Amino acid sequence: MSDSNRHRLLFICLGNICRSPLAEGIFLHKANARGVAEQFTIDSAGTGGWHVGDPPDPRAREVAERHGVRLVSRGRQIEPGDTDRFDLLLCMDRDNYRKVERLGARPDQIHLMLEFLPEDSPHEVPDPYYGGDDGFDHVFDLLDRSCENLLDQLTARPEPSSRQ
Ligand code: 4NP
């Protein structure tokens, strides 16, 4: 598939070492399992720059590995050109969302990641960085379910418009 036909997804959090690399790894894992990875360009970034070049947090790597997911990305900070390079900017919480809005992203481009869960679910992926290991299990579960639904939406075939 040519690059111009791919869905280009950027997962965004604050530090780019916990939530967004997990979302990136989980989404890629699911896309590979379904045989549709070539339909996507996937990356992640942080709104902050403290962890540029760092591997994901060891607690994020550990929970991912327990579920067979490898995290390979390195921390990077979001930059203005990302609003042109990606179709969907998927933010973990409202603070990330507001910062991405200020970079000039179009409203239809930005989403909260948990928009892809049922309405009575939490709206933000909690930041697990300052908490215990169970925070990472909870984050993994939220991201696993939202990535599954997002992938369903992006790979759904359009319904035939009318019967002949
Ligand atoms: P993340 O978590 O946004 O899910 O990657 C954080 C990682 C690092 C920091 C904050 C949140 N930090 O302040 O260094």
Coordinates of all heavy atoms in Angstrom, one line a residue, residues 57-123:
D57 N 9.1 3.6 29.9 CA 9.3 3.3 31.3 C 9.3 1.7 31.5 O 8.5 1.0 30.9 CB 8.1 3.9 32.1 CG 8.2 3.8 33.6 OD1 8.0 2.6 34.1 OD2 8.5 4.8 34.2
P58 N 10.2 1.2 32.4 CA 10.3 -0.3 32.6 C 9.0 -0.9 33.0 O 8.7 -2.0 32.6 CB 11.3 -0.4 33.7 CG 12.1 0.8 33.7 CD 11.2 1.9 33.2
R59 N 8.1 -0.1 33.7 CA 6.8 -0.7 34.1 C 5.9 -0.8 32.9 O 5.1 -1.8 32.9 CB 6.2 0.2 35.2 CG 7.0 0.3 36.5 CD 6.6 1.4 37.4 NE 6.8 2.7 36.8 CZ 6.5 3.9 37.3 NH1 5.8 3.9 38.4 NH2 6.7 5.0 36.6
A60 N 6.0 0.1 32.0 CA 5.2 0.0 30.8 C 5.7 -1.2 29.9 O 4.9 -2.0 29.4 CB 5.3 1.3 29.9
R61 N 7.0 -1.4 29.9 CA 7.6 -2.5 29.1 C 7.1 -3.8 29.7 O 6.8 -4.8 29.0 CB 9.1 -2.4 29.0 CG 9.6 -1.2 28.2 CD 10.9 -1.5 27.6 NE 11.9 -1.8 28.6 CZ 12.7 -1.0 29.2 NH1 12.6 0.3 28.9 NH2 13.6 -1.3 30.1
E62 N 7.1 -3.9 31.1 CA 6.8 -5.1 31.8 C 5.4 -5.5 31.5 O 5.1 -6.7 31.2 CB 7.1 -4.9 33.3 CG 7.1 -6.2 34.1 CD 5.7 -6.6 34.5 OE1 4.8 -5.7 34.7 OE2 5.4 -7.8 34.5
V63 N 4.4 -4.6 31.6 CA 3.0 -5.0 31.4 C 2.8 -5.3 30.0 O 2.1 -6.3 29.6 CB 2.0 -3.8 31.9 CG1 2.1 -2.6 31.0 CG2 0.6 -4.4 32.0
A64 N 3.5 -4.6 29.1 CA 3.3 -4.9 27.6 C 3.8 -6.3 27.4 O 3.2 -7.2 26.7 CB 4.1 -3.9 26.8
E65 N 5.0 -6.7 27.9 CA 5.6 -8.0 27.6 C 4.8 -9.1 28.1 O 4.6 -10.2 27.5 CB 7.0 -8.1 28.2 CG 8.1 -7.5 27.2 CD 9.4 -7.2 27.9 OE1 9.7 -7.8 28.9 OE2 10.1 -6.3 27.4
R66 N 4.1 -8.9 29.3 CA 3.2 -9.9 29.9 C 2.1 -10.2 28.9 O 1.5 -11.3 29.0 CB 2.7 -9.4 31.2 CG 3.1 -10.2 32.4 CD 2.4 -9.9 33.6 NE 2.6 -8.6 34.1 CZ 1.6 -7.7 34.4 NH1 0.3 -8.1 34.2 NH2 1.9 -6.5 34.9
H67 N 1.7 -9.2 28.1 CA 0.6 -9.4 27.1 C 1.2 -9.7 25.7 O 0.4 -9.6 24.7 CB -0.3 -8.2 27.1 CG -1.1 -8.1 28.3 ND1 -0.6 -7.4 29.4 CD2 -2.3 -8.5 28.7 CE1 -1.5 -7.4 30.4 NE2 -2.6 -8.1 29.9
G68 N 2.5 -10.0 25.6 CA 3.0 -10.3 24.3 C 3.2 -9.1 23.4 O 3.4 -9.3 22.1
V69 N 3.3 -7.9 23.9 CA 3.4 -6.7 23.1 C 4.8 -6.1 23.4 O 5.3 -6.0 24.5 CB 2.4 -5.6 23.6 CG1 2.6 -4.3 22.9 CG2 1.0 -6.1 23.3
R70 N 5.5 -5.8 22.3 CA 6.9 -5.3 22.4 C 6.8 -3.8 22.2 O 6.1 -3.3 21.3 CB 7.8 -5.9 21.3 CG 8.4 -7.2 21.7 CD 9.5 -7.6 20.8 NE 10.6 -6.8 20.9 CZ 11.3 -6.3 19.8 NH1 10.9 -6.6 18.6 NH2 12.3 -5.5 19.9
L71 N 7.5 -3.0 23.0 CA 7.5 -1.5 22.9 C 8.9 -1.2 22.4 O 9.9 -1.4 23.0 CB 7.3 -0.9 24.2 CG 6.0 -1.2 25.0 CD1 5.8 -0.4 26.2 CD2 4.8 -1.1 24.1
V72 N 8.9 -0.6 21.2 CA 10.2 -0.3 20.6 C 10.5 1.2 20.4 O 11.6 1.5 20.0 CB 10.3 -1.0 19.2 CG1 10.3 -2.5 19.4 CG2 9.2 -0.6 18.3
S73 N 9.5 2.0 20.7 CA 9.8 3.4 20.3 C 10.7 4.1 21.3 O 10.9 3.6 22.4 CB 8.4 4.2 20.3 OG 7.8 4.2 21.5
R74 N 11.2 5.3 21.0 CA 12.0 6.1 21.9 C 11.2 7.4 22.0 O 10.5 7.9 21.1 CB 13.3 6.4 21.2 CG 14.2 5.2 21.1 CD 15.0 5.1 22.4 NE 15.6 3.8 22.5 CZ 16.6 3.5 23.4 NH1 16.9 4.4 24.3 NH2 17.1 2.3 23.4
G75 N 11.4 8.1 23.2 CA 10.6 9.3 23.5 C 10.9 10.4 22.5 O 12.1 10.6 22.1
R76 N 9.9 11.1 22.1 CA 10.1 12.3 21.3 C 9.0 13.3 21.7 O 8.0 12.9 22.2 CB 10.1 12.0 19.8 CG 8.8 11.8 19.1 CD 8.9 11.9 17.6 NE 7.7 11.7 16.9 CZ 6.9 12.6 16.5 NH1 7.1 13.9 16.8 NH2 5.8 12.3 15.7
Q77 N 9.3 14.6 21.4 CA 8.3 15.6 21.7 C 7.5 15.9 20.5 O 8.1 16.0 19.3 CB 9.0 16.9 22.2 CG 8.1 17.9 22.8 CD 8.8 19.0 23.5 OE1 10.0 19.2 23.4 NE2 8.0 19.8 24.3
I78 N 6.2 16.2 20.6 CA 5.4 16.6 19.5 C 5.9 17.9 18.9 O 6.4 18.7 19.6 CB 3.9 16.6 19.9 CG1 3.0 16.7 18.7 CG2 3.7 17.8 20.9 CD1 1.5 16.5 19.0
E79 N 5.8 18.0 17.6 CA 6.2 19.2 16.9 C 5.1 19.7 16.0 O 4.3 18.9 15.6 CB 7.5 19.0 16.2 CG 7.5 17.8 15.3 CD 8.9 17.4 14.9 OE1 9.9 17.5 15.7 OE2 9.1 17.0 13.7
P80 N 5.1 21.0 15.6 CA 4.0 21.6 14.8 C 3.8 20.8 13.5 O 2.6 20.6 13.2 CB 4.5 23.0 14.5 CG 5.4 23.3 15.7 CD 6.1 22.1 16.1
G81 N 4.8 20.3 12.9 CA 4.6 19.6 11.6 C 3.8 18.3 11.8 O 3.3 17.7 10.8
D82 N 3.7 17.8 13.0 CA 2.9 16.5 13.2 C 1.5 16.7 12.8 O 0.8 15.7 12.5 CB 3.0 16.1 14.7 CG 4.4 15.5 15.0 OD1 5.0 14.9 14.1 OD2 4.8 15.7 16.2
T83 N 0.9 17.9 12.9 CA -0.5 18.1 12.5 C -0.7 17.9 11.0 O -1.8 17.6 10.6 CB -1.0 19.5 12.9 OG1 -0.1 20.5 12.3 CG2 -0.9 19.7 14.4
D84 N 0.4 18.1 10.2 CA 0.3 17.8 8.8 C 0.7 16.3 8.5 O 0.1 15.7 7.6 CB 1.3 18.6 8.0 CG 0.9 20.1 8.0 OD1 -0.4 20.4 8.1 OD2 1.8 20.9 8.1
R85 N 1.6 15.8 9.3 CA 2.1 14.4 9.0 C 1.1 13.3 9.4 O 1.2 12.2 9.0 CB 3.4 14.2 9.7 CG 4.6 14.7 8.9 CD 5.9 14.2 9.5 NE 6.2 14.8 10.8 CZ 6.8 16.0 11.0 NH1 7.2 16.6 9.9 NH2 7.1 16.4 12.2
F86 N 0.1 13.6 10.3 CA -0.8 12.6 10.8 C -2.2 13.0 10.6 O -2.6 14.1 10.7 CB -0.5 12.3 12.3 CG 0.9 11.7 12.6 CD1 2.0 12.5 12.8 CD2 1.1 10.3 12.5 CE1 3.2 12.0 13.0 CE2 2.3 9.8 12.6 CZ 3.4 10.6 12.9
D87 N -3.1 11.9 10.3 CA -4.5 12.2 10.1 C -5.2 12.3 11.5 O -6.2 13.0 11.6 CB -5.1 11.0 9.3 CG -4.4 10.8 8.0 OD1 -4.2 11.7 7.3 OD2 -3.9 9.6 7.8
L88 N -4.8 11.4 12.4 CA -5.5 11.3 13.7 C -4.5 11.5 14.8 O -3.5 10.9 14.9 CB -6.1 9.9 13.9 CG -7.4 9.6 13.1 CD1 -7.9 8.2 13.4 CD2 -8.5 10.6 13.4
L89 N -4.8 12.5 15.7 CA -4.0 12.8 16.8 C -4.8 12.3 18.1 O -5.8 12.9 18.4 CB -3.7 14.3 16.9 CG -3.1 14.9 15.6 CD1 -3.2 16.4 15.6 CD2 -1.6 14.4 15.5
L90 N -4.3 11.2 18.7 CA -5.1 10.5 19.7 C -4.5 10.8 21.1 O -3.4 10.3 21.4 CB -5.1 9.0 19.4 CG -5.7 8.7 18.0 CD1 -5.1 7.5 17.3 CD2 -7.2 8.6 18.2
C91 N -5.2 11.7 21.9 CA -4.6 12.2 23.1 C -5.1 11.4 24.3 O -6.3 11.0 24.4 CB -5.1 13.6 23.3 SG -4.5 14.7 22.0
M92 N -4.2 11.2 25.3 CA -4.5 10.3 26.4 C -5.4 11.1 27.4 O -6.2 10.5 28.1 CB -3.3 9.8 27.1 CG -2.4 9.0 26.2 SD -3.3 7.5 25.7 CE -2.8 7.4 24.0
D93 N -5.2 12.4 27.5 CA -6.0 13.2 28.5 C -6.3 14.6 27.9 O -5.8 15.0 26.9 CB -5.4 13.2 29.9 CG -4.1 13.9 29.9 OD1 -3.9 14.9 29.2 OD2 -3.2 13.5 30.7
R94 N -7.1 15.3 28.7 CA -7.6 16.6 28.2 C -6.5 17.7 28.1 O -6.5 18.6 27.3 CB -8.7 17.2 29.1 CG -10.0 16.4 28.9 CD -11.2 17.1 29.5 NE -12.4 16.3 29.2 CZ -12.9 15.4 30.0 NH1 -12.3 15.2 31.2 NH2 -14.0 14.8 29.7
D95 N -5.5 17.5 29.0 CA -4.4 18.4 29.0 C -3.6 18.3 27.7 O -3.2 19.3 27.1 CB -3.5 18.2 30.2 CG -2.3 19.1 30.3 OD1 -2.6 20.4 30.4 OD2 -1.2 18.7 30.2
N96 N -3.3 17.0 27.3 CA -2.6 16.8 26.0 C -3.5 17.4 24.9 O -3.0 18.0 24.0 CB -2.5 15.3 25.7 CG -2.0 14.4 26.8 OD1 -2.4 13.3 26.9 ND2 -1.1 14.9 27.7
Y97 N -4.8 17.1 25.0 CA -5.7 17.6 23.9 C -5.6 19.1 23.7 O -5.5 19.6 22.6 CB -7.1 17.2 24.3 CG -8.2 17.4 23.3 CD1 -8.7 16.3 22.6 CD2 -8.7 18.6 23.0 CE1 -9.7 16.4 21.6 CE2 -9.7 18.8 22.1 CZ -10.2 17.7 21.4 OH -11.2 17.9 20.5
R98 N -5.6 19.8 24.8 CA -5.5 21.3 24.7 C -4.2 21.7 24.1 O -4.1 22.7 23.3 CB -5.7 22.0 26.1 CG -7.2 22.0 26.5 CD -7.3 22.8 27.8 NE -6.8 22.2 29.0 CZ -7.4 21.3 29.7 NH1 -8.7 21.1 29.5 NH2 -6.8 20.8 30.8
K99 N -3.1 21.1 24.5 CA -1.8 21.4 23.9 C -1.7 21.2 22.4 O -1.2 21.9 21.7 CB -0.7 20.7 24.7 CG -0.5 21.3 26.1 CD 0.6 20.6 26.9 CE 0.7 21.3 28.2 NZ 1.1 20.3 29.3
V100 N -2.4 20.1 22.0 CA -2.3 19.7 20.6 C -3.2 20.7 19.8 O -2.9 21.1 18.7 CB -2.8 18.3 20.4 CG1 -2.9 17.9 18.9 CG2 -1.8 17.3 21.0
E101 N -4.3 21.1 20.4 CA -5.2 22.2 19.8 C -4.4 23.4 19.5 O -4.5 24.0 18.5 CB -6.3 22.5 20.7 CG -7.6 21.8 20.5 CD -8.7 22.3 21.5 OE1 -8.4 22.7 22.6 OE2 -9.8 22.3 21.0
R102 N -3.5 23.8 20.5 CA -2.7 25.0 20.4 C -1.7 24.9 19.3 O -1.2 25.9 18.8 CB -2.1 25.4 21.7 CG -3.0 26.2 22.6 CD -2.3 26.6 23.8 NE -3.1 26.2 25.0 CZ -2.6 25.5 26.0 NH1 -1.3 25.2 26.1 NH2 -3.3 25.2 27.0
L103 N -1.3 23.7 18.9 CA -0.4 23.5 17.8 C -1.1 23.7 16.4 O -0.4 23.7 15.4 CB 0.2 22.1 17.8 CG 1.3 21.7 18.8 CD1 1.7 20.3 18.6 CD2 2.4 22.7 18.7
G104 N -2.4 23.9 16.4 CA -3.1 24.2 15.2 C -3.8 23.0 14.6 O -4.1 23.1 13.4
A105 N -4.0 21.9 15.3 CA -4.6 20.8 14.7 C -6.1 21.1 14.5 O -6.7 21.9 15.2 CB -4.6 19.6 15.7
R106 N -6.6 20.5 13.4 CA -8.1 20.7 13.1 C -8.9 19.9 14.1 O -8.5 18.8 14.5 CB -8.4 20.1 11.7 CG -7.7 20.8 10.5 CD -8.3 20.2 9.2 NE -8.4 18.8 9.3 CZ -7.5 17.9 8.9 NH1 -6.3 18.3 8.6 NH2 -7.7 16.6 9.0
P107 N -10.1 20.4 14.5 CA -10.9 19.8 15.4 C -11.2 18.3 15.1 O -11.3 17.4 15.9 CB -12.2 20.6 15.5 CG -11.8 21.9 15.0 CD -10.7 21.7 14.0
D108 N -11.4 18.0 13.8 CA -11.8 16.7 13.4 C -10.6 15.7 13.4 O -10.7 14.5 13.2 CB -12.4 16.6 12.0 CG -11.4 17.1 10.9 OD1 -10.8 18.2 11.1 OD2 -11.2 16.4 9.9
Q109 N -9.4 16.3 13.6 CA -8.2 15.5 13.7 C -7.9 15.0 15.1 O -7.2 14.0 15.2 CB -7.0 16.4 13.3 CG -6.0 16.0 12.3 CD -5.0 17.0 12.1 OE1 -5.1 18.2 12.4 NE2 -3.9 16.6 11.5
I110 N -8.3 15.7 16.1 CA -7.9 15.4 17.5 C -9.0 14.6 18.2 O -10.2 15.0 18.1 CB -7.7 16.7 18.3 CG1 -7.1 17.8 17.6 CG2 -6.8 16.4 19.5 CD1 -7.0 19.1 18.4
H111 N -8.6 13.6 18.9 CA -9.5 12.8 19.7 C -8.9 12.5 21.0 O -7.7 12.4 21.2 CB -9.8 11.5 19.0 CG -10.5 11.7 17.7 ND1 -11.9 11.7 17.5 CD2 -10.0 11.9 16.4 CE1 -12.2 11.9 16.3 NE2 -11.1 12.0 15.6
L112 N -9.8 12.3 22.0 CA -9.4 11.6 23.2 C -9.4 10.1 23.0 O -10.4 9.6 22.4 CB -10.4 12.0 24.4 CG -10.2 13.3 25.1 CD1 -11.3 13.5 26.1 CD2 -8.8 13.5 25.7
M113 N -8.4 9.4 23.4 CA -8.3 8.0 23.1 C -9.5 7.2 23.6 O -9.9 6.3 22.9 CB -7.0 7.5 23.8 CG -6.6 6.1 23.4 SD -6.2 6.0 21.6 CE -6.5 4.2 21.4
L114 N -10.0 7.7 24.7 CA -11.1 6.9 25.3 C -12.5 7.2 24.7 O -13.5 6.7 25.1 CB -11.1 6.9 26.8 CG -9.8 6.4 27.5 CD1 -10.0 6.3 29.0 CD2 -9.4 5.1 26.9
E115 N -12.5 8.1 23.7 CA -13.7 8.2 22.9 C -14.1 6.9 22.3 O -15.3 6.7 21.8 CB -13.5 9.2 21.8 CG -13.6 10.7 22.2 CD -13.2 11.6 21.0 OE1 -13.5 11.2 19.8 OE2 -12.6 12.6 21.3
F116 N -13.2 6.0 22.1 CA -13.5 4.7 21.4 C -13.9 3.6 22.4 O -14.0 2.5 22.0 CB -12.2 4.3 20.6 CG -11.9 5.4 19.6 CD1 -10.9 6.3 19.9 CD2 -12.6 5.5 18.4 CE1 -10.6 7.3 19.0 CE2 -12.3 6.5 17.5 CZ -11.3 7.4 17.8
L117 N -14.2 4.0 23.6 CA -14.8 3.1 24.6 C -16.3 3.5 24.8 O -16.7 4.6 24.4 CB -14.1 3.2 26.0 CG -12.7 2.6 26.0 CD1 -12.2 2.6 27.5 CD2 -12.7 1.1 25.5
P118 N -17.2 2.6 25.4 CA -18.6 3.0 25.6 C -18.7 4.3 26.4 O -17.8 4.6 27.2 CB -19.1 1.8 26.3 CG -18.2 0.7 26.0 CD -16.9 1.3 25.8
E119 N -19.8 5.0 26.3 CA -20.0 6.3 26.9 C -19.8 6.3 28.4 O -19.4 7.4 29.0 CB -21.4 6.8 26.6 CG -21.4 7.7 25.3 CD -22.7 8.2 24.9 OE1 -23.6 8.4 25.8 OE2 -22.9 8.4 23.7
D120 N -20.2 5.2 29.1 CA -20.1 5.3 30.6 C -18.6 5.0 31.1 O -18.4 4.8 32.3 CB -21.1 4.3 31.2 CG -20.9 2.9 30.7 OD1 -20.1 2.7 29.7 OD2 -21.6 2.0 31.2
S121 N -17.7 4.9 30.2 CA -16.3 4.6 30.5 C -15.6 6.0 30.9 O -16.1 7.0 30.6 CB -15.5 4.0 29.4 OG -16.2 2.9 28.8
P122 N -14.4 5.9 31.6 CA -13.7 7.1 31.9 C -13.3 7.8 30.6 O -13.2 7.2 29.5 CB -12.4 6.6 32.6 CG -12.4 5.2 32.5 CD -13.7 4.7 32.1
H123 N -13.1 9.1 30.7 CA -12.8 9.9 29.4 C -11.3 10.1 29.2 O -10.9 10.4 28.2 CB -13.5 11.2 29.5 CG -15.0 11.1 29.4 ND1 -15.8 11.6 30.3 CD2 -15.7 10.5 28.4 CE1 -17.1 11.3 29.9 NE2 -17.1 10.6 28.8

